[in-house]
Amino acid sequence: MKEQSLEISSQSAITKDNITLEIDGILFMKVTDAAAATNNVTNYKMSVTQLAMTTMRNAIGAMELDECFQNRDAINAKILMAMTEATGPWGVQVT
């Protein structure tokens, strides 16, 4: 039940002003409910990674390139909020 880090592999994302970026990341998470993590989702690590990749692309897609460079904290906050909401039923907490 200790905190784990997962690497989010490099992927393409398109900004609101139609510019392609290569993005990657590190996700920190911990299992808060082992039963839910094993029973409510097939592979919680893969599911959290896939959700993080989708959420990152959505956050980047909602901003123009200049906003992406200037608002990394806002991007992180959007990702954290979406991940927290989605992973709660899986017994996983994204930090």
Side-chain angles (χ1 to χ4, degrees), residues 44-59:
Y44 74 89
K45 286 184 180 182
M46 184 186 73
S47 297
V48 169
T49 301
Q50 293 295 317
L51 181 60
M53 292 171 75
T54 301
T55 306
M56 285 171 46
R57 284 193 307 267
N58 288 342

Side-chain angles (χ1 to χ4, degrees), residues 8-13 21-25 53 56-57 60:
I8 308 302
S9 59
S10 181
Q11 61 181 325
S12 294
L21 297 176
E22 285 292 319
I23 57 174
D24 62 2
M53 292 171 75
M56 285 171 46
R57 284 193 307 267
I60 296 294

